[in-house]
Amino acid sequence: MEIGQYCEIGRVREENQDTIATRALPDGVLAVVCDGMGGMQGGKEASNIAAAAFVNRMMQDYQAKMEPDALSDLLHQAVADANRGVYTAAVAANLRMRMGTTLVAAVLRGQECFIVNIGDSRAYVINTDAPPVQLTLDHTAAQYLYERGDITAEQCATHPRRNELTRAIGVMPHVLADRFDCTLESKQRLLLCSDGLYGMLDDTTIGTLASSAEPADAAKQLLDAANEQGGRDNISVILIAP
Protein backbone atom coordinates (compact mmCIF):
# COMPACT_ATOMS: atom_id res chain seq x y z
CA MET A 1 0.00 0.00 0.00
CA GLU A 2 1.05 3.59 -0.60
CA ILE A 3 0.24 6.28 1.94
CA GLY A 4 0.43 10.08 1.82
CA GLN A 5 -0.14 11.93 5.08
CA TYR A 6 0.07 15.47 6.38
CA CYS A 7 -1.05 17.24 9.55
CA GLU A 8 -0.35 20.97 9.61
CA ILE A 9 -1.54 24.09 11.38
CA GLY A 10 -2.96 26.00 8.41
CA ARG A 11 -2.70 29.77 8.07
CA VAL A 12 -4.98 31.12 10.80
CA ARG A 13 -4.88 28.97 13.95
CA GLU A 14 -2.25 29.57 16.62
CA GLU A 15 -2.03 25.88 17.55
CA ASN A 16 -2.37 22.59 15.69
CA GLN A 17 -5.06 20.63 17.54
CA ASP A 18 -5.17 17.80 14.97
CA THR A 19 -3.40 14.47 15.44
CA ILE A 20 -2.94 11.73 12.86
CA ALA A 21 -1.39 8.27 12.99
CA THR A 22 -0.79 5.33 10.66
CA ARG A 23 0.47 1.88 11.58
CA ALA A 24 1.28 -1.26 9.63
CA LEU A 25 -0.89 -4.26 10.52
CA PRO A 26 0.03 -7.88 9.80
CA ASP A 27 -2.33 -7.86 6.81
CA GLY A 28 -3.03 -4.20 6.17
CA VAL A 29 -2.82 -0.69 7.55
CA LEU A 30 -4.44 1.30 10.36
CA ALA A 31 -5.07 5.04 10.00
CA VAL A 32 -6.66 7.58 12.34
CA VAL A 33 -7.42 11.31 12.27
CA CYS A 34 -8.44 13.24 15.40
CA ASP A 35 -9.42 16.91 15.36
CA GLY A 36 -9.39 18.57 18.79
CA MET A 37 -12.53 20.61 19.22
CA GLY A 38 -11.74 24.17 18.16
CA GLY A 39 -12.26 26.89 20.70
CA MET A 40 -12.21 24.43 23.60
CA GLN A 41 -9.52 24.14 26.21
CA GLY A 42 -7.40 21.05 25.84
CA GLY A 43 -8.20 20.35 22.18
CA LYS A 44 -4.62 19.44 21.32
CA GLU A 45 -4.29 17.22 24.37
CA ALA A 46 -7.63 15.57 23.60
CA SER A 47 -6.64 14.64 20.05
CA ASN A 48 -3.25 13.34 21.21
CA ILE A 49 -4.78 11.20 23.98
CA ALA A 50 -7.54 9.85 21.75
CA ALA A 51 -5.26 8.91 18.86
CA ALA A 52 -2.74 7.23 21.17
CA ALA A 53 -5.36 5.26 23.10
CA PHE A 54 -7.11 4.15 19.91
CA VAL A 55 -3.89 3.02 18.25
CA ASN A 56 -2.64 1.28 21.39
CA ARG A 57 -5.76 -0.87 21.70
CA MET A 58 -5.80 -1.72 17.99
CA MET A 59 -2.14 -2.69 17.91
CA GLN A 60 -2.46 -4.71 21.12
CA ASP A 61 -5.46 -6.80 20.12
CA TYR A 62 -5.56 -6.84 16.31
CA GLN A 63 -4.93 -10.20 14.68
CA ALA A 64 -4.39 -11.00 11.04
CA LYS A 65 -7.49 -12.14 9.15
CA MET A 66 -9.87 -11.14 11.97
CA GLU A 67 -13.47 -11.82 11.11
CA PRO A 68 -15.49 -8.65 10.40
CA ASP A 69 -17.60 -9.00 13.54
CA ALA A 70 -14.53 -9.39 15.72
CA LEU A 71 -12.86 -6.43 14.02
CA SER A 72 -15.98 -4.33 14.52
CA ASP A 73 -15.94 -5.17 18.23
CA LEU A 74 -12.27 -4.21 18.45
CA LEU A 75 -12.85 -0.89 16.70
CA HIS A 76 -15.60 -0.05 19.19
CA GLN A 77 -13.37 -1.08 22.10
CA ALA A 78 -10.62 1.19 20.77
CA VAL A 79 -13.11 4.06 20.54
CA ALA A 80 -14.17 3.38 24.14
CA ASP A 81 -10.53 3.50 25.24
CA ALA A 82 -10.04 6.81 23.43
CA ASN A 83 -13.17 8.28 24.97
CA ARG A 84 -12.25 7.07 28.45
CA GLY A 85 -8.76 8.52 28.15
CA VAL A 86 -9.93 11.97 27.14
CA TYR A 87 -12.83 12.06 29.60
CA THR A 88 -10.58 11.01 32.49
CA ALA A 89 -8.03 13.69 31.58
CA ALA A 90 -10.79 16.31 31.34
CA VAL A 91 -12.16 15.44 34.77
CA ALA A 92 -8.67 15.50 36.31
CA ALA A 93 -8.00 18.96 34.81
CA ASN A 94 -11.44 20.33 35.75
CA LEU A 95 -12.21 20.64 32.04
CA ARG A 96 -15.23 18.32 31.90
CA MET A 97 -17.48 19.23 28.93
CA ARG A 98 -14.70 21.53 27.68
CA MET A 99 -12.28 18.98 26.26
CA GLY A 100 -13.03 16.80 23.25
CA THR A 101 -12.04 15.63 19.80
CA THR A 102 -13.39 14.02 16.68
CA LEU A 103 -12.10 10.65 15.52
CA VAL A 104 -12.23 8.88 12.18
CA ALA A 105 -10.24 5.70 11.69
CA ALA A 106 -9.90 2.94 9.15
CA VAL A 107 -8.46 -0.53 8.82
CA LEU A 108 -7.63 -1.23 5.20
CA ARG A 109 -6.89 -4.86 4.28
CA GLY A 110 -6.27 -5.19 0.59
CA GLN A 111 -9.33 -3.46 -0.83
CA GLU A 112 -11.54 -4.07 2.23
CA CYS A 113 -12.20 -0.97 4.38
CA PHE A 114 -13.53 -0.96 7.94
CA ILE A 115 -14.25 2.53 9.22
CA VAL A 116 -15.36 4.09 12.50
CA ASN A 117 -16.16 7.74 13.20
CA ILE A 118 -17.32 10.20 15.85
CA GLY A 119 -17.73 13.88 15.01
CA ASP A 120 -17.19 15.55 11.65
CA SER A 121 -13.82 14.27 10.46
CA ARG A 122 -14.54 12.29 7.31
CA ALA A 123 -13.70 9.25 5.22
CA TYR A 124 -14.07 9.39 1.44
CA VAL A 125 -13.68 6.92 -1.40
CA ILE A 126 -11.68 8.64 -4.13
CA ASN A 127 -12.50 7.78 -7.74
CA THR A 128 -10.44 8.55 -10.84
CA ASP A 129 -13.38 9.38 -13.09
CA ALA A 130 -16.21 10.36 -10.74
CA PRO A 131 -16.74 12.59 -7.69
CA PRO A 132 -15.54 11.28 -4.32
CA VAL A 133 -18.05 9.42 -2.16
CA GLN A 134 -18.34 10.45 1.49
CA LEU A 135 -18.59 7.28 3.56
CA THR A 136 -19.10 8.82 7.00
CA LEU A 137 -21.94 11.00 8.26
CA ASP A 138 -21.09 14.17 10.17
CA HIS A 139 -22.29 14.29 13.76
CA THR A 140 -23.30 17.94 13.64
CA ALA A 141 -26.39 19.99 14.42
CA ALA A 142 -26.73 20.88 10.73
CA GLN A 143 -26.65 17.21 9.70
CA TYR A 144 -29.33 16.47 12.28
CA LEU A 145 -31.54 19.24 10.87
CA TYR A 146 -31.01 17.85 7.37
CA GLU A 147 -31.89 14.29 8.42
CA ARG A 148 -35.02 15.63 10.11
CA GLY A 149 -36.01 17.36 6.86
CA ASP A 150 -35.73 20.91 8.20
CA ILE A 151 -33.03 21.99 5.72
CA THR A 152 -31.75 20.87 2.32
CA ALA A 153 -28.39 19.27 1.56
CA GLU A 154 -27.25 22.56 0.04
CA GLN A 155 -28.25 24.45 3.18
CA CYS A 156 -26.55 21.85 5.36
CA ALA A 157 -23.18 22.60 3.72
CA THR A 158 -23.32 26.29 4.68
CA HIS A 159 -25.57 26.24 7.75
CA PRO A 160 -24.29 28.29 10.73
CA ARG A 161 -24.53 25.15 12.92
CA ARG A 162 -22.53 22.94 10.53
CA ASN A 163 -19.54 22.94 12.93
CA GLU A 164 -21.59 22.31 16.07
CA LEU A 165 -20.84 18.72 17.06
CA THR A 166 -23.55 16.45 18.43
CA ARG A 167 -21.05 13.69 19.28
CA ALA A 168 -17.39 13.86 20.26
CA ILE A 169 -14.73 11.85 22.01
CA GLY A 170 -14.22 12.70 25.67
CA VAL A 171 -17.18 14.98 26.37
CA MET A 172 -19.32 12.35 28.09
CA PRO A 173 -18.44 9.07 29.90
CA HIS A 174 -19.65 7.06 26.89
CA VAL A 175 -19.93 7.80 23.18
CA LEU A 176 -21.69 6.09 20.28
CA ALA A 177 -19.55 5.50 17.19
CA ASP A 178 -20.77 4.84 13.65
CA ARG A 179 -19.31 1.98 11.61
CA PHE A 180 -19.04 1.71 7.83
CA ASP A 181 -17.60 -1.02 5.61
CA CYS A 182 -16.78 -0.90 1.91
CA THR A 183 -14.72 -2.63 -0.74
CA LEU A 184 -12.56 -0.43 -2.92
CA GLU A 185 -12.63 -1.09 -6.63
CA SER A 186 -9.58 -0.96 -8.88
CA LYS A 187 -7.78 2.42 -8.73
CA GLN A 188 -9.98 3.76 -5.94
CA ARG A 189 -8.34 5.29 -2.88
CA LEU A 190 -9.33 5.99 0.71
CA LEU A 191 -9.10 9.51 2.14
CA LEU A 192 -9.37 10.40 5.83
CA CYS A 193 -9.40 14.11 6.67
CA SER A 194 -10.38 16.79 9.14
CA ASP A 195 -12.75 19.64 8.33
CA GLY A 196 -9.75 21.87 7.73
CA LEU A 197 -9.51 20.15 4.34
CA TYR A 198 -13.09 19.71 3.16
CA GLY A 199 -14.12 23.05 4.65
CA MET A 200 -11.74 24.76 2.23
CA LEU A 201 -12.22 22.60 -0.89
CA ASP A 202 -15.31 21.36 -2.71
CA ASP A 203 -15.77 17.67 -3.48
CA THR A 204 -14.76 18.04 -7.12
CA THR A 205 -11.44 19.62 -6.19
CA ILE A 206 -10.80 17.04 -3.48
CA GLY A 207 -11.49 14.19 -5.90
CA THR A 208 -9.36 15.66 -8.68
CA LEU A 209 -6.33 16.37 -6.50
CA ALA A 210 -6.56 13.13 -4.51
CA SER A 211 -6.41 11.06 -7.70
CA SER A 212 -3.95 13.21 -9.65
CA ALA A 213 -0.63 11.74 -8.48
CA GLU A 214 1.00 9.20 -6.21
CA PRO A 215 -0.52 9.36 -2.70
CA ALA A 216 2.34 11.33 -1.10
CA ASP A 217 2.27 13.98 -3.82
CA ALA A 218 -1.52 14.05 -4.01
CA ALA A 219 -1.81 14.51 -0.23
CA LYS A 220 0.60 17.46 -0.43
CA GLN A 221 -1.43 18.98 -3.25
CA LEU A 222 -4.57 18.73 -1.11
CA LEU A 223 -2.80 20.41 1.81
CA ASP A 224 -1.43 23.20 -0.39
CA ALA A 225 -4.82 23.81 -2.01
CA ALA A 226 -6.55 24.11 1.37
CA ASN A 227 -3.93 26.63 2.46
CA GLU A 228 -4.28 28.56 -0.78
CA GLN A 229 -8.02 28.88 -0.10
CA GLY A 230 -7.30 30.45 3.28
CA GLY A 231 -6.20 27.60 5.55
CA ARG A 232 -8.66 28.73 8.20
CA ASP A 233 -8.28 25.56 10.29
CA ASN A 234 -5.75 22.83 11.00
CA ILE A 235 -5.48 20.47 8.03
CA SER A 236 -5.13 16.69 8.30
CA VAL A 237 -4.93 14.34 5.32
CA ILE A 238 -4.30 10.60 5.09
CA LEU A 239 -4.57 9.23 1.55
CA ILE A 240 -4.18 5.48 1.00
CA ALA A 241 -3.91 3.54 -2.26
CA PRO A 242 -4.24 -0.25 -1.81
Side-chain angles (χ1 to χ4, degrees), residues 117-124 134 136-144 147 156 162 165-166 178 180 198:
N117 86 294
I118 304 96
D120 64 352
S121 294
R122 293 179 178 177
Y124 290 90
Q134 182 182 337
T136 52
L137 292 176
D138 297 341
H139 299 140
T140 63
Q143 179 67 29
Y144 171 75
E147 291 173 357
C156 186
R162 66 187 180 280
L165 296 183
T166 56
D178 287 346
F180 304 88
Y198 70 77

Side-chain angles (χ1 to χ4, degrees), residues 9 11 18 22 52 57 108 110 122 153 162 166 220 236:
I9 195 169
R11 293 187 171 177
D18 286 7
T22 56
R57 171 53 74 97
L108 188 57
R122 293 179 178 177
R162 66 187 180 280
T166 56
K220 183 63 163 59
S236 289

Side-chain angles (χ1 to χ4, degrees), residues 97-128:
M97 301 294 290
R98 290 180 289 156
M99 185 174 172
T101 181
T102 70
L103 185 149
V104 62
V107 170
L108 188 57
R109 304 191 302 198
Q111 292 176 287
E112 287 186 310
C113 297
F114 304 87
I115 296 162
V116 64
N117 86 294
I118 304 96
D120 64 352
S121 294
R122 293 179 178 177
Y124 290 90
V125 171
I126 301 299
N127 301 289
T128 57

